[in-house]
Amino acid sequence: MGAFRGSISFTKFHVRGELPADFRDRFVESIRLRAFRDLDPSEEVDSRTGWCSVEHPFDLDLSYEKVFFNDYLNLGLRTDTWRIPGSLFKASFREAERAYCAEHGCEKLSRTQKKNLEALVMAKLRHKVVPAMNVVDLSWGIGEGVVRFFANSPKQHETMIELFEKSFELELVPDGAYVAAEKRGLAERLMEKLPLLEPFTLASTANV
Amino acid sequence: MDYVDRIERARFLGREFLVWLWHESEAKEGVLTLSNGEACEVWLEAQLTLVGAEDEKSESKLKSAMPSASPEAKEALRQGKLPIKAKLRIARGTQTWGFLLNADTLSIASVQIPALLKEENDEKFYERMELVETLETILDDLLGQFIQLRTSETWDGQVMPQLRDWVRAA
């Protein structure tokens, strides 16, 4: 699902703050700084997130032409995660434990030895598997100040907002009735009233 | 109250907006008028989920051709439940959109857009965005009408009694 193809499902965010005069060049520079970097099996990180080309998730060389589409800034938010199947890890760990005990003449591992061995087994397995990749499209209509993020999970929203705000030094606020009223130019006295409203109920026992 | 707090505090209005839309659609046989005087058709169809205001776990998930027309749907309203998710169909002129609206976040999912004409990747993107933005403009217009009404004197004096009668009569 995304901006270019597939089913369309997205959450809208509003950009708050002033765009710098030379924002296009500046943004390309910031995006390149936060472009996705491949996971290295020898690193002790479970996942990594960064920007990629909206059209090709493996394209991490983000130039002006790959990011700006007229008045839109389009990016892919790529997250790679190591996912070692539990059964594979358990079997490999048991094997490593047996080998360690045979070599060192011990019957049982201490807590520290177990922890170290687990890390070792995990690192070995990471060399054998490919990280799971997740890519979500993001399309920022610069003129309208709206970001459409093509995923509706709160966790993905959190990750995106953090990277967006670091990259562009602008605040992102979620869409809602309040923002819609503001954009529509609802009178100031009504805007003041809006957050003070109480929810209604249609329950049959409610006061008529 | 800071800006994000104001957004969060007013978030419940999304559920009320869906009730209002549902009522308007039924009362006006699906034909609503946008602020510019243009007509558009709005129907709730296929999927409707309502939850209790006090107890979010008390959920009514209705699936049928027109779940909003079912006795269960109105009964859920009478039990104090409000819609959190609804499948909507909106038509304006020759264009029709189908989508699932999440009332709390106003996010939209599984959007069926009017047929695409462009074949080039970039052109296809611009066309998709244009169709999505048109849908958003219609939805924002309807939401704006609701908010205008919800914050006006008319709401308590006229709209709420109408809504109560509508729910009771079903």
Side-chain angles (χ1 to χ4, degrees), chain A:
Chain A
M1 63 182 181
F4 282 74
R5 61 194 74 82
S7 150
I8 302 174
S9 295
F10 65 89
T11 300
K12 215 160 91 169
F13 295 86
H14 300 268
V15 181
R16 294 189 87 207
E18 289 291 312
L19 291 175
D22 55 345
F23 73 89
R24 288 182 181 253
D25 293 333
R26 262 210 222 188
F27 285 175
V28 172
E29 209 174 298
S30 317
I31 290 164
R32 290 175 71 91
L33 276 176
R34 288 168 182 86
F36 181 81
R37 279 188 304 118
D38 282 322
L39 281 172
D40 177 346
S42 50
E43 281 178 304
E44 278 191 24
V45 288
D46 292 329
S47 71
R48 178 172 292 134
T49 298
W51 302 121
C52 65
S53 152
V54 73
E55 293 183 275
H56 308 286
F58 293 119
D59 186 353
L60 307 173
D61 181 19
L62 299 167
S63 60
Y64 186 99
E65 297 71 32
K66 291 177 193 169
V67 167
F68 283 102
F69 293 70
N70 292 340
D71 196 34
Y72 295 94
L73 187 157
N74 292 335
L75 286 167
L77 181 80
R78 178 172 160 189
T79 303
D80 279 16
T81 310
W82 290 114
R83 287 217 184 96
I84 310 288
S87 53
L88 175 66
F89 178 78
K90 274 184 197 162
S92 307
F93 180 77
R94 273 199 303 271
E95 186 58 38
E97 193 180 24
R98 255 198 303 274
Y100 185 92
C101 287
E103 194 185 328
H104 295 87
C106 57
E107 274 187 20
K108 211 178 160 197
L109 297 182
S110 71
R111 190 179 287 182
T112 317
Q113 283 171 326
K114 202 173 170 187
K115 219 174 159 191
N116 291 341
L117 194 62
E118 275 175 357
L120 208 69
V121 170
M122 190 58 91
K124 257 189 184 172
L125 289 175
R126 280 177 178 170
H127 279 93
K128 291 184 184 169
V129 298
V130 176
M133 181 176 77
N134 177 274
V135 184
V136 180
D137 291 356
L138 176 148
S139 182
W140 175 4
I142 303 269
E144 55 170 349
V146 166
V147 166
R148 292 179 186 84
F149 185 56
F150 290 78
N152 291 331
S153 121
K155 200 174 166 223
Q156 283 176 311
H157 291 170
E158 224 174 272
T159 309
M160 182 278 288
I161 290 172
E162 197 187 327
L163 189 63
F164 183 97
E165 293 186 344
K166 264 189 204 158
S167 304
F168 306 112
E169 294 174 2
L170 291 165
E171 192 189 355
L172 261 196
V173 293
D175 196 23
Y178 188 84
V179 188
E182 191 182 49
K183 287 221 156 185
R184 205 183 146 81
L186 192 73
E188 206 175 315
R189 72 183 171 83
L190 298 180
M191 284 305 296
E192 290 298 321
K193 203 174 158 185
L194 208 54
L196 307 174
L197 290 175
E198 287 300 325
F200 70 62
T201 176
L202 294 168
S204 44
T205 50
N207 293 333
V208 179

Side-chain angles (χ1 to χ4, degrees), chain A residues 184, chain B residues 32-40 92 137-138 141-142 145:
Chain A
R184 205 183 146 81
Chain B
L32 275 63
T33 309
L34 299 172
S35 325
N36 62 2
E38 215 178 331
C40 74
R92 194 190 65 173
T137 307
I138 298 172
D141 187 292
L142 296 168
Q145 288 185 40

Side-chain angles (χ1 to χ4, degrees), chain B residues 16-36:
Chain B
E16 298 189 353
F17 168 57
L18 267 181
V19 175
W20 176 78
L21 212 52
W22 176 359
H23 170 258
E24 288 294 289
S25 169
E26 274 193 23
K28 296 175 178 166
E29 293 185 341
V31 184
L32 275 63
T33 309
L34 299 172
S35 325
N36 62 2

Side-chain angles (χ1 to χ4, degrees), chain B residues 101-131:
Chain B
L101 180 71
N102 181 320
D104 290 345
T105 57
L106 296 182
S107 60
I108 59 181
S110 310
V111 188
Q112 294 160 288
I113 48 176
L116 289 170
L117 304 170
K118 308 283 188 336
E119 292 199 350
E120 281 292 310
N121 220 17
D122 286 9
E123 292 303 312
K124 214 195 250 177
F125 162 74
Y126 294 125
E127 196 181 5
R128 276 163 77 91
M129 281 297 116
E130 198 186 320
L131 291 168

Side-chain angles (χ1 to χ4, degrees), chain B residues 4-138:
Chain B
V4 174
D5 287 341
R6 284 167 182 259
I7 296 173
E8 294 309 319
R9 178 69 189 78
R11 202 162 282 293
F12 71 90
L13 289 168
R15 297 181 185 190
E16 298 189 353
F17 168 57
L18 267 181
V19 175
W20 176 78
L21 212 52
W22 176 359
H23 170 258
E24 288 294 289
S25 169
E26 274 193 23
K28 296 175 178 166
E29 293 185 341
V31 184
L32 275 63
T33 309
L34 299 172
S35 325
N36 62 2
E38 215 178 331
C40 74
E41 286 183 36
V42 179
W43 298 103
L44 274 75
E45 61 173 23
Q47 231 187 76
L48 179 65
T49 307
L50 303 99
V51 296
E54 304 293 321
D55 177 15
E56 294 264 327
K57 283 181 191 154
S58 151
E59 187 181 86
S60 301
K61 214 171 184 171
L62 309 173
K63 280 187 181 178
S64 66
M66 290 282 280
S68 59
S70 68
E72 292 87 352
K74 297 285 168 55
E75 179 52 33
L77 289 176
R78 282 194 292 273
Q79 287 170 1
K81 293 178 184 173
L82 291 178
I84 51 158
K85 236 179 235 174
K87 180 131 195 254
L88 296 172
R89 183 156 296 278
I90 290 186
R92 194 190 65 173
T94 55
Q95 294 180 313
T96 303
W97 294 260
F99 59 99
L100 201 62
L101 180 71
N102 181 320
D104 290 345
T105 57
L106 296 182
S107 60
I108 59 181
S110 310
V111 188
Q112 294 160 288
I113 48 176
L116 289 170
L117 304 170
K118 308 283 188 336
E119 292 199 350
E120 281 292 310
N121 220 17
D122 286 9
E123 292 303 312
K124 214 195 250 177
F125 162 74
Y126 294 125
E127 196 181 5
R128 276 163 77 91
M129 281 297 116
E130 198 186 320
L131 291 168
V132 162
E133 283 165 19
T134 307
L135 169 63
E136 285 178 344
T137 307
I138 298 172

